[in-house]
Amino acid sequence: MRPALLDHVGRLSDEDLPAYVYDLPALHEHVHAIRAALPARVELLYAAKANSDPRIVQALAAHVDGFEVASGGELNHVRGLVPETPLAFGGPGKTQTELVQALEAGVERLHIESEHELRLLTTLLGDRSADVLLRVNLPVAMGHVALAMGGRPSPFGMDPAQLDDCLELIASDPRIRLHGLHLHLASGLRAQAQLALIDEMLTWAEAWAHERAVDLAEVNVGGGMGVDYTHPHKVFDWSVFGAGLLRILTRHPRLTLRIEPGRSVTAYCGWYVTQVLDIKFSRGEAFAVLRGGTHHLRTPAAKQHDQPFEVIPDDVWLRPWDRPEARNEPVTLVGQLCTPKDVLARRVTVERLRVGDRVAFAMAGAYAWNISHHAFLMHPHPTFHHVHDAEVSVPGTYAHRMS
Ligand SMILES: *Cc1c(COP(=O)(O)O)cnc(C)c1O
């Protein structure tokens, strides 16, 4: 944790914990570097579902070409925060209400998931028009990835053969403008693997467009740039990725490429900071029970990993008994939930961990608070803090408890 954040955490009271601390300067720097690494012909959208915290969305708006939203709720939320920024509306199972909402909001792109969805859209258009990408599930071999969303039977997108009926519908309805294809297939890829997949997808897309005489202006290849929770410093190599895209795009001179990463954009800017409530030894094995748990930070439970963390020692101990501690030994860090699944990190060796010490879990900026089951056991929600470097010496003013 960098000094400005430590300074902020040091001024939080125990009652402020658990706390989500978002490092906005680090986020700005990270997204700026991502944008700088990408060729001009690549448009960068942020997938709001990774973390739609208002100040994160506002911070990102300065750097991205748009936001990908995947529900009417996200659509309203993001549009309200950054009304000038273009939106792409994707995701399976769009309701009639959501489609109307998207049309009324004038979203820049609709990502169409099925022929039925396209037909539904035509009944709702009236005298409006819609700019669409057709989402296709390509038959590509992906090897091992964290979350495969295509290349095998899947509820996302259409089989290539199902595109033809959509093309027919579009040809007969001038209100629908087809810009190209959407191809988000997997999450968790490293730069080289992602490039190989994109290369294969674009080759397929151009051949398909040529055969069908479709004017292919745009391909959105989705997100899924890898985040390595076991090796936090192995960040997705955006320079290699950008250079690779530049090479690939020379073979597709007329194409605009879009990407819509989520996790790899915001994972690193968030910290979940909490405190050790108890240290116990069960049959010789150390357990640290923390304030909060996976109902606030579900990421390690959802992905079955150890969430990386730092110990922030607190030397104050006023009780008349010995301070419970674990020393140079593996400790399992659990939360307050009455379930054995409430594990944030398992058997991680710590130099020293004592009751009252604080623990800051890193990489908690994406798919963390917003995917967690907050209501379970009715513990208080965390407090939320957005650190701007200029502000860190003003305690308390920007803390609020979400309810
Ligand atoms: C979830 C999702 C993304 C973002 O994926 P990340 O792994 O967070 O980068 C992008 N596009 C679509 C269609 C998605 O479903």
Side-chain angles (χ1 to χ4, degrees), residues 221-277:
V221 293
M225 293 68 187
V227 167
D228 188 341
Y229 291 88
T230 311
H231 306 99
H233 299 291
K234 283 193 193 162
V235 176
F236 185 84
D237 196 332
W238 289 97
S239 319
V240 163
F241 186 64
L245 288 184
L246 196 59
R247 275 195 306 278
I248 292 172
L249 284 176
T250 56
R251 294 200 297 279
H252 307 278
R254 293 180 326 107
L255 204 63
T256 296
L257 190 73
R258 288 186 155 199
I259 60 171
E260 48 184 26
R263 191 187 301 271
S264 55
V265 176
T266 47
Y268 301 95
C269 78
W271 296 80
Y272 177 66
V273 183
T274 183
Q275 187 179 39
V276 180
L277 295 175

Short mmCIF file of all heavy atoms in Angstrom, two decimals, residues 221-277:
data_model
loop_
_atom_site.label_atom_id
_atom_site.label_comp_id
_atom_site.label_asym_id
_atom_site.label_seq_id
_atom_site.Cartn_x
_atom_site.Cartn_y
_atom_site.Cartn_z
N VAL A 221 -14.29 -7.02 -29.46
CA VAL A 221 -13.76 -8.32 -29.02
C VAL A 221 -13.88 -8.50 -27.51
O VAL A 221 -13.27 -9.41 -26.94
CB VAL A 221 -12.30 -8.52 -29.48
CG1 VAL A 221 -12.22 -8.64 -30.98
CG2 VAL A 221 -11.39 -7.40 -28.99
N GLY A 222 -14.64 -7.64 -26.86
CA GLY A 222 -14.97 -7.86 -25.46
C GLY A 222 -13.85 -7.50 -24.50
O GLY A 222 -12.96 -6.70 -24.80
N GLY A 223 -13.93 -8.12 -23.32
CA GLY A 223 -12.94 -7.84 -22.27
C GLY A 223 -12.17 -9.10 -21.96
O GLY A 223 -11.83 -9.86 -22.86
N GLY A 224 -11.93 -9.34 -20.69
CA GLY A 224 -11.30 -10.59 -20.29
C GLY A 224 -9.79 -10.54 -20.16
O GLY A 224 -9.16 -11.58 -20.00
N MET A 225 -9.21 -9.32 -20.24
CA MET A 225 -7.76 -9.24 -20.05
C MET A 225 -7.42 -9.71 -18.64
O MET A 225 -8.01 -9.29 -17.66
CB MET A 225 -7.27 -7.80 -20.27
CG MET A 225 -7.42 -7.31 -21.71
SD MET A 225 -9.19 -7.13 -22.15
CE MET A 225 -9.09 -6.77 -23.89
N GLY A 226 -6.43 -10.61 -18.55
CA GLY A 226 -6.20 -11.36 -17.32
C GLY A 226 -5.73 -10.53 -16.14
O GLY A 226 -5.01 -9.54 -16.29
N VAL A 227 -6.17 -10.97 -14.97
CA VAL A 227 -5.71 -10.40 -13.70
C VAL A 227 -5.25 -11.58 -12.86
O VAL A 227 -6.00 -12.52 -12.67
CB VAL A 227 -6.88 -9.64 -13.01
CG1 VAL A 227 -6.52 -9.31 -11.57
CG2 VAL A 227 -7.21 -8.38 -13.79
N ASP A 228 -4.00 -11.52 -12.40
CA ASP A 228 -3.40 -12.65 -11.70
C ASP A 228 -3.37 -12.38 -10.19
O ASP A 228 -2.52 -11.66 -9.70
CB ASP A 228 -1.98 -12.87 -12.26
CG ASP A 228 -1.34 -14.15 -11.73
OD1 ASP A 228 -1.81 -14.66 -10.69
OD2 ASP A 228 -0.38 -14.63 -12.36
N TYR A 229 -4.30 -12.98 -9.48
CA TYR A 229 -4.41 -12.72 -8.04
C TYR A 229 -3.31 -13.41 -7.24
O TYR A 229 -3.04 -13.03 -6.11
CB TYR A 229 -5.78 -13.17 -7.52
CG TYR A 229 -6.93 -12.31 -8.02
CD1 TYR A 229 -7.57 -12.60 -9.22
CD2 TYR A 229 -7.35 -11.20 -7.31
CE1 TYR A 229 -8.60 -11.81 -9.69
CE2 TYR A 229 -8.40 -10.40 -7.77
CZ TYR A 229 -9.02 -10.71 -8.95
OH TYR A 229 -10.05 -9.92 -9.44
N THR A 230 -2.68 -14.42 -7.85
CA THR A 230 -1.59 -15.11 -7.16
C THR A 230 -0.29 -14.34 -7.29
O THR A 230 0.57 -14.39 -6.43
CB THR A 230 -1.44 -16.53 -7.74
OG1 THR A 230 -2.72 -17.13 -7.78
CG2 THR A 230 -0.53 -17.38 -6.88
N HIS A 231 -0.14 -13.63 -8.41
CA HIS A 231 1.05 -12.82 -8.64
C HIS A 231 0.61 -11.39 -8.95
O HIS A 231 0.56 -11.00 -10.13
CB HIS A 231 1.87 -13.38 -9.80
CG HIS A 231 2.21 -14.83 -9.64
ND1 HIS A 231 1.50 -15.84 -10.26
CD2 HIS A 231 3.16 -15.43 -8.88
CE1 HIS A 231 2.02 -17.00 -9.91
NE2 HIS A 231 3.02 -16.80 -9.08
N PRO A 232 0.28 -10.61 -7.92
CA PRO A 232 -0.31 -9.27 -8.14
C PRO A 232 0.54 -8.36 -9.02
O PRO A 232 0.01 -7.45 -9.64
CB PRO A 232 -0.40 -8.70 -6.72
CG PRO A 232 -0.43 -9.88 -5.82
CD PRO A 232 0.39 -10.94 -6.49
N HIS A 233 1.85 -8.60 -9.09
CA HIS A 233 2.69 -7.71 -9.89
C HIS A 233 2.72 -8.09 -11.37
O HIS A 233 3.21 -7.34 -12.20
CB HIS A 233 4.10 -7.64 -9.31
CG HIS A 233 4.07 -7.09 -7.90
ND1 HIS A 233 3.77 -5.77 -7.62
CD2 HIS A 233 4.24 -7.70 -6.70
CE1 HIS A 233 3.76 -5.59 -6.32
NE2 HIS A 233 4.04 -6.73 -5.73
N LYS A 234 2.22 -9.28 -11.70
CA LYS A 234 2.15 -9.67 -13.12
C LYS A 234 0.91 -9.07 -13.74
O LYS A 234 -0.09 -9.75 -13.98
CB LYS A 234 2.08 -11.20 -13.23
CG LYS A 234 3.41 -11.89 -13.02
CD LYS A 234 3.30 -13.34 -13.48
CE LYS A 234 4.48 -14.16 -13.00
NZ LYS A 234 4.18 -15.61 -13.06
N VAL A 235 0.96 -7.79 -14.02
CA VAL A 235 -0.18 -7.08 -14.58
C VAL A 235 -0.24 -7.37 -16.09
O VAL A 235 0.79 -7.55 -16.74
CB VAL A 235 -0.03 -5.57 -14.30
CG1 VAL A 235 -1.14 -4.76 -14.96
CG2 VAL A 235 -0.02 -5.33 -12.80
N PHE A 236 -1.45 -7.47 -16.61
CA PHE A 236 -1.65 -7.67 -18.05
C PHE A 236 -0.75 -6.71 -18.83
O PHE A 236 -0.70 -5.52 -18.53
CB PHE A 236 -3.12 -7.40 -18.40
CG PHE A 236 -3.49 -7.70 -19.83
CD1 PHE A 236 -3.82 -8.99 -20.22
CD2 PHE A 236 -3.52 -6.69 -20.78
CE1 PHE A 236 -4.18 -9.27 -21.53
CE2 PHE A 236 -3.87 -6.96 -22.09
CZ PHE A 236 -4.20 -8.26 -22.46
N ASP A 237 -0.04 -7.23 -19.83
CA ASP A 237 0.95 -6.42 -20.52
C ASP A 237 0.29 -5.61 -21.64
O ASP A 237 0.19 -6.06 -22.79
CB ASP A 237 2.07 -7.30 -21.08
CG ASP A 237 3.30 -6.47 -21.45
OD1 ASP A 237 3.12 -5.28 -21.79
OD2 ASP A 237 4.41 -7.02 -21.40
N TRP A 238 -0.15 -4.40 -21.28
CA TRP A 238 -0.88 -3.57 -22.24
C TRP A 238 0.01 -3.11 -23.39
O TRP A 238 -0.48 -2.87 -24.50
CB TRP A 238 -1.53 -2.38 -21.53
CG TRP A 238 -2.69 -2.81 -20.68
CD1 TRP A 238 -2.66 -3.05 -19.33
CD2 TRP A 238 -4.02 -3.12 -21.11
NE1 TRP A 238 -3.91 -3.47 -18.90
CE2 TRP A 238 -4.75 -3.52 -19.97
CE3 TRP A 238 -4.67 -3.09 -22.35
CZ2 TRP A 238 -6.09 -3.88 -20.02
CZ3 TRP A 238 -6.00 -3.46 -22.40
CH2 TRP A 238 -6.71 -3.85 -21.25
N SER A 239 1.33 -2.96 -23.14
CA SER A 239 2.22 -2.54 -24.23
C SER A 239 2.33 -3.62 -25.29
O SER A 239 2.23 -3.36 -26.49
CB SER A 239 3.63 -2.21 -23.72
OG SER A 239 3.55 -1.54 -22.53
N VAL A 240 2.55 -4.87 -24.83
CA VAL A 240 2.61 -5.99 -25.76
C VAL A 240 1.28 -6.12 -26.50
O VAL A 240 1.22 -6.32 -27.71
CB VAL A 240 2.94 -7.31 -25.01
CG1 VAL A 240 2.62 -8.53 -25.85
CG2 VAL A 240 4.40 -7.31 -24.59
N PHE A 241 0.20 -5.95 -25.75
CA PHE A 241 -1.14 -6.08 -26.33
C PHE A 241 -1.37 -5.00 -27.40
O PHE A 241 -1.81 -5.30 -28.52
CB PHE A 241 -2.18 -5.97 -25.21
CG PHE A 241 -3.59 -6.23 -25.65
CD1 PHE A 241 -3.97 -7.47 -26.13
CD2 PHE A 241 -4.56 -5.23 -25.57
CE1 PHE A 241 -5.28 -7.72 -26.53
CE2 PHE A 241 -5.86 -5.46 -25.96
CZ PHE A 241 -6.23 -6.70 -26.44
N GLY A 242 -1.04 -3.76 -27.06
CA GLY A 242 -1.23 -2.65 -28.01
C GLY A 242 -0.41 -2.83 -29.27
O GLY A 242 -0.89 -2.64 -30.39
N ALA A 243 0.86 -3.23 -29.08
CA ALA A 243 1.74 -3.43 -30.25
C ALA A 243 1.19 -4.57 -31.11
O ALA A 243 1.20 -4.49 -32.35
CB ALA A 243 3.16 -3.74 -29.77
N GLY A 244 0.71 -5.62 -30.47
CA GLY A 244 0.15 -6.76 -31.20
C GLY A 244 -1.11 -6.37 -31.97
O GLY A 244 -1.31 -6.77 -33.12
N LEU A 245 -1.95 -5.54 -31.34
CA LEU A 245 -3.17 -5.09 -32.03
C LEU A 245 -2.81 -4.26 -33.26
O LEU A 245 -3.45 -4.38 -34.31
CB LEU A 245 -4.04 -4.26 -31.08
CG LEU A 245 -4.76 -5.01 -29.97
CD1 LEU A 245 -5.65 -4.05 -29.19
CD2 LEU A 245 -5.60 -6.17 -30.51
N LEU A 246 -1.78 -3.44 -33.12
CA LEU A 246 -1.35 -2.61 -34.25
C LEU A 246 -0.97 -3.50 -35.43
O LEU A 246 -1.35 -3.25 -36.57
CB LEU A 246 -0.17 -1.74 -33.81
CG LEU A 246 0.20 -0.55 -34.69
CD1 LEU A 246 -0.98 0.40 -34.82
CD2 LEU A 246 1.41 0.18 -34.09
N ARG A 247 -0.23 -4.58 -35.14
CA ARG A 247 0.16 -5.52 -36.20
C ARG A 247 -1.07 -6.18 -36.81
O ARG A 247 -1.21 -6.26 -38.03
CB ARG A 247 1.09 -6.62 -35.63
CG ARG A 247 2.55 -6.25 -35.57
CD ARG A 247 3.42 -7.51 -35.36
NE ARG A 247 3.01 -8.30 -34.20
CZ ARG A 247 3.39 -8.02 -32.94
NH1 ARG A 247 4.18 -6.99 -32.70
NH2 ARG A 247 3.00 -8.78 -31.94
N ILE A 248 -1.97 -6.64 -35.96
CA ILE A 248 -3.16 -7.33 -36.47
C ILE A 248 -4.00 -6.38 -37.32
O ILE A 248 -4.50 -6.73 -38.39
CB ILE A 248 -4.01 -7.88 -35.29
CG1 ILE A 248 -3.25 -9.02 -34.60
CG2 ILE A 248 -5.37 -8.36 -35.76
CD1 ILE A 248 -3.90 -9.52 -33.31
N LEU A 249 -4.13 -5.14 -36.86
CA LEU A 249 -5.00 -4.19 -37.55
C LEU A 249 -4.46 -3.77 -38.92
O LEU A 249 -5.25 -3.35 -39.77
CB LEU A 249 -5.24 -2.95 -36.68
CG LEU A 249 -6.24 -3.18 -35.53
CD1 LEU A 249 -6.35 -1.94 -34.65
CD2 LEU A 249 -7.63 -3.57 -36.05
N THR A 250 -3.17 -3.91 -39.16
CA THR A 250 -2.66 -3.58 -40.50
C THR A 250 -3.27 -4.53 -41.53
O THR A 250 -3.39 -4.17 -42.70
CB THR A 250 -1.12 -3.70 -40.57
OG1 THR A 250 -0.74 -5.00 -40.16
CG2 THR A 250 -0.44 -2.66 -39.72
N ARG A 251 -3.68 -5.72 -41.09
CA ARG A 251 -4.33 -6.66 -42.02
C ARG A 251 -5.83 -6.38 -42.16
O ARG A 251 -6.51 -7.03 -42.95
CB ARG A 251 -4.11 -8.10 -41.54
CG ARG A 251 -2.64 -8.53 -41.59
CD ARG A 251 -2.51 -10.04 -41.59
NE ARG A 251 -3.03 -10.63 -40.36
CZ ARG A 251 -2.35 -10.69 -39.21
NH1 ARG A 251 -1.13 -10.20 -39.14
NH2 ARG A 251 -2.87 -11.26 -38.15
N HIS A 252 -6.35 -5.47 -41.36
CA HIS A 252 -7.78 -5.11 -41.43
C HIS A 252 -7.88 -3.60 -41.50
O HIS A 252 -8.32 -2.95 -40.55
CB HIS A 252 -8.51 -5.64 -40.20
CG HIS A 252 -8.29 -7.10 -39.95
ND1 HIS A 252 -9.01 -8.09 -40.60
CD2 HIS A 252 -7.41 -7.75 -39.17
CE1 HIS A 252 -8.59 -9.27 -40.18
NE2 HIS A 252 -7.62 -9.10 -39.32
N PRO A 253 -7.50 -3.02 -42.64
CA PRO A 253 -7.29 -1.56 -42.71
C PRO A 253 -8.55 -0.72 -42.47
O PRO A 253 -8.44 0.43 -42.10
CB PRO A 253 -6.74 -1.35 -44.12
CG PRO A 253 -7.09 -2.59 -44.88
CD PRO A 253 -7.17 -3.70 -43.90
N ARG A 254 -9.74 -1.29 -42.65
CA ARG A 254 -10.94 -0.45 -42.54
C ARG A 254 -11.69 -0.64 -41.22
O ARG A 254 -12.72 -0.03 -40.97
CB ARG A 254 -11.88 -0.73 -43.72
CG ARG A 254 -11.29 -0.27 -45.08
CD ARG A 254 -12.23 -0.55 -46.25
NE ARG A 254 -13.01 -1.76 -46.08
CZ ARG A 254 -14.31 -1.78 -45.81
NH1 ARG A 254 -15.00 -0.68 -45.72
NH2 ARG A 254 -14.93 -2.94 -45.66
N LEU A 255 -11.16 -1.54 -40.41
CA LEU A 255 -11.91 -1.96 -39.23
C LEU A 255 -11.61 -1.11 -38.00
O LEU A 255 -10.47 -0.76 -37.73
CB LEU A 255 -11.51 -3.41 -38.93
CG LEU A 255 -12.47 -4.27 -38.14
CD1 LEU A 255 -13.76 -4.44 -38.93
CD2 LEU A 255 -11.82 -5.62 -37.87
N THR A 256 -12.66 -0.76 -37.27
CA THR A 256 -12.49 -0.20 -35.93
C THR A 256 -12.64 -1.34 -34.93
O THR A 256 -13.62 -2.09 -34.99
CB THR A 256 -13.56 0.87 -35.64
OG1 THR A 256 -13.36 1.94 -36.57
CG2 THR A 256 -13.43 1.40 -34.23
N LEU A 257 -11.64 -1.46 -34.06
CA LEU A 257 -11.70 -2.52 -33.06
C LEU A 257 -12.12 -1.90 -31.74
O LEU A 257 -11.68 -0.81 -31.38
CB LEU A 257 -10.31 -3.14 -32.91
CG LEU A 257 -10.25 -4.42 -32.08
CD1 LEU A 257 -10.86 -5.57 -32.85
CD2 LEU A 257 -8.81 -4.74 -31.71
N ARG A 258 -13.02 -2.59 -31.04
CA ARG A 258 -13.42 -2.13 -29.71
C ARG A 258 -13.06 -3.19 -28.69
O ARG A 258 -13.22 -4.38 -28.96
CB ARG A 258 -14.93 -1.92 -29.66
CG ARG A 258 -15.38 -0.73 -30.42
CD ARG A 258 -16.85 -0.52 -30.20
NE ARG A 258 -17.14 0.89 -30.42
CZ ARG A 258 -18.23 1.51 -29.99
NH1 ARG A 258 -19.14 0.85 -29.31
NH2 ARG A 258 -18.41 2.78 -30.22
N ILE A 259 -12.60 -2.74 -27.54
CA ILE A 259 -12.44 -3.68 -26.43
C ILE A 259 -13.24 -3.12 -25.26
O ILE A 259 -13.47 -1.91 -25.17
CB ILE A 259 -10.95 -3.87 -26.03
CG1 ILE A 259 -10.31 -2.55 -25.61
CG2 ILE A 259 -10.17 -4.48 -27.20
CD1 ILE A 259 -8.91 -2.72 -25.01
N GLU A 260 -13.67 -4.02 -24.37
CA GLU A 260 -14.47 -3.56 -23.22
C GLU A 260 -14.06 -4.30 -21.95
O GLU A 260 -14.83 -5.06 -21.38
CB GLU A 260 -15.97 -3.71 -23.50
CG GLU A 260 -16.36 -5.06 -24.07
CD GLU A 260 -17.83 -5.18 -24.45
OE1 GLU A 260 -18.46 -4.15 -24.75
OE2 GLU A 260 -18.34 -6.31 -24.44
N PRO A 261 -12.81 -4.07 -21.50
CA PRO A 261 -12.35 -4.72 -20.28
C PRO A 261 -13.02 -4.15 -19.03
O PRO A 261 -13.48 -3.00 -19.04
CB PRO A 261 -10.85 -4.40 -20.26
CG PRO A 261 -10.72 -3.13 -21.03
CD PRO A 261 -11.80 -3.18 -22.09
N GLY A 262 -13.09 -4.96 -18.00
CA GLY A 262 -13.61 -4.51 -16.70
C GLY A 262 -12.58 -4.76 -15.61
O GLY A 262 -11.94 -3.85 -15.11
N ARG A 263 -12.40 -6.04 -15.30
CA ARG A 263 -11.53 -6.42 -14.19
C ARG A 263 -10.13 -5.81 -14.27
O ARG A 263 -9.61 -5.27 -13.30
CB ARG A 263 -11.42 -7.96 -14.14
CG ARG A 263 -10.76 -8.49 -12.88
CD ARG A 263 -10.52 -10.01 -12.98
NE ARG A 263 -11.74 -10.77 -13.18
CZ ARG A 263 -12.52 -11.24 -12.19
NH1 ARG A 263 -12.18 -11.04 -10.94
NH2 ARG A 263 -13.61 -11.93 -12.46
N SER A 264 -9.52 -5.91 -15.46
CA SER A 264 -8.13 -5.47 -15.59
C SER A 264 -8.01 -3.95 -15.46
O SER A 264 -6.91 -3.43 -15.28
CB SER A 264 -7.58 -5.91 -16.94
OG SER A 264 -8.41 -5.43 -17.99
N VAL A 265 -9.11 -3.24 -15.54
CA VAL A 265 -9.07 -1.78 -15.40
C VAL A 265 -9.14 -1.37 -13.93
O VAL A 265 -8.36 -0.55 -13.46
CB VAL A 265 -10.23 -1.12 -16.20
CG1 VAL A 265 -10.26 0.39 -15.97
CG2 VAL A 265 -10.10 -1.44 -17.69
N THR A 266 -10.07 -1.97 -13.19
CA THR A 266 -10.32 -1.46 -11.83
C THR A 266 -9.86 -2.36 -10.68
O THR A 266 -9.87 -1.92 -9.53
CB THR A 266 -11.83 -1.15 -11.63
OG1 THR A 266 -12.60 -2.25 -12.12
CG2 THR A 266 -12.22 0.11 -12.37
N ALA A 267 -9.46 -3.60 -10.97
CA ALA A 267 -9.11 -4.52 -9.87
C ALA A 267 -8.07 -3.91 -8.93
O ALA A 267 -8.18 -4.01 -7.71
CB ALA A 267 -8.60 -5.85 -10.42
N TYR A 268 -7.07 -3.27 -9.50
CA TYR A 268 -5.91 -2.86 -8.71
C TYR A 268 -6.14 -1.62 -7.86
O TYR A 268 -5.37 -1.35 -6.94
CB TYR A 268 -4.70 -2.64 -9.63
CG TYR A 268 -4.35 -3.88 -10.43
CD1 TYR A 268 -4.84 -4.06 -11.72
CD2 TYR A 268 -3.58 -4.88 -9.86
CE1 TYR A 268 -4.56 -5.21 -12.44
CE2 TYR A 268 -3.29 -6.03 -10.57
CZ TYR A 268 -3.78 -6.20 -11.86
OH TYR A 268 -3.49 -7.34 -12.56
N CYS A 269 -7.17 -0.84 -8.16
CA CYS A 269 -7.32 0.43 -7.44
C CYS A 269 -8.08 0.28 -6.13
O CYS A 269 -8.19 1.24 -5.36
CB CYS A 269 -8.01 1.48 -8.33
SG CYS A 269 -9.78 1.25 -8.46
N GLY A 270 -8.61 -0.89 -5.83
CA GLY A 270 -9.44 -1.05 -4.64
C GLY A 270 -8.78 -1.89 -3.55
O GLY A 270 -8.08 -2.86 -3.83
N TRP A 271 -9.00 -1.49 -2.32
CA TRP A 271 -8.52 -2.21 -1.14
C TRP A 271 -9.68 -2.44 -0.19
O TRP A 271 -10.50 -1.54 -0.01
CB TRP A 271 -7.45 -1.39 -0.41
CG TRP A 271 -6.20 -1.16 -1.21
CD1 TRP A 271 -6.02 -0.22 -2.19
CD2 TRP A 271 -4.96 -1.87 -1.09
NE1 TRP A 271 -4.74 -0.30 -2.69
CE2 TRP A 271 -4.06 -1.30 -2.02
CE3 TRP A 271 -4.52 -2.92 -0.28
CZ2 TRP A 271 -2.75 -1.76 -2.18
CZ3 TRP A 271 -3.22 -3.36 -0.43
CH2 TRP A 271 -2.34 -2.80 -1.36
N TYR A 272 -9.73 -3.62 0.39
CA TYR A 272 -10.71 -3.90 1.44
C TYR A 272 -9.91 -3.99 2.73
O TYR A 272 -9.11 -4.90 2.91
CB TYR A 272 -11.44 -5.21 1.13
CG TYR A 272 -12.43 -5.66 2.17
CD1 TYR A 272 -13.59 -4.92 2.42
CD2 TYR A 272 -12.24 -6.84 2.89
CE1 TYR A 272 -14.51 -5.34 3.37
CE2 TYR A 272 -13.16 -7.28 3.82
CZ TYR A 272 -14.30 -6.53 4.06
OH TYR A 272 -15.22 -6.95 4.99
N VAL A 273 -10.11 -3.00 3.60
CA VAL A 273 -9.30 -2.90 4.81
C VAL A 273 -10.12 -3.31 6.01
O VAL A 273 -11.24 -2.81 6.21
CB VAL A 273 -8.79 -1.45 5.00
CG1 VAL A 273 -7.89 -1.37 6.23
CG2 VAL A 273 -8.06 -0.97 3.75
N THR A 274 -9.58 -4.19 6.80
CA THR A 274 -10.32 -4.64 7.97
C THR A 274 -9.37 -4.92 9.14
O THR A 274 -8.22 -4.44 9.11
CB THR A 274 -11.23 -5.83 7.62
OG1 THR A 274 -11.97 -6.19 8.76
CG2 THR A 274 -10.45 -7.01 7.08
N GLN A 275 -9.82 -5.65 10.11
CA GLN A 275 -9.09 -5.76 11.36
C GLN A 275 -9.26 -7.15 11.94
O GLN A 275 -10.31 -7.76 11.79
CB GLN A 275 -9.70 -4.73 12.33
CG GLN A 275 -8.96 -4.59 13.61
CD GLN A 275 -9.62 -3.55 14.48
OE1 GLN A 275 -10.85 -3.47 14.52
NE2 GLN A 275 -8.83 -2.76 15.17
N VAL A 276 -8.23 -7.61 12.63
CA VAL A 276 -8.30 -8.94 13.25
C VAL A 276 -9.09 -8.84 14.55
O VAL A 276 -8.73 -8.07 15.44
CB VAL A 276 -6.88 -9.49 13.55
CG1 VAL A 276 -6.97 -10.87 14.20
CG2 VAL A 276 -6.03 -9.52 12.28
N LEU A 277 -10.17 -9.62 14.65
CA LEU A 277 -10.99 -9.62 15.87
C LEU A 277 -10.55 -10.72 16.82
O LEU A 277 -10.69 -10.60 18.03
CB LEU A 277 -12.46 -9.85 15.51
CG LEU A 277 -13.15 -8.77 14.68
CD1 LEU A 277 -14.56 -9.21 14.31
CD2 LEU A 277 -13.18 -7.45 15.45
#
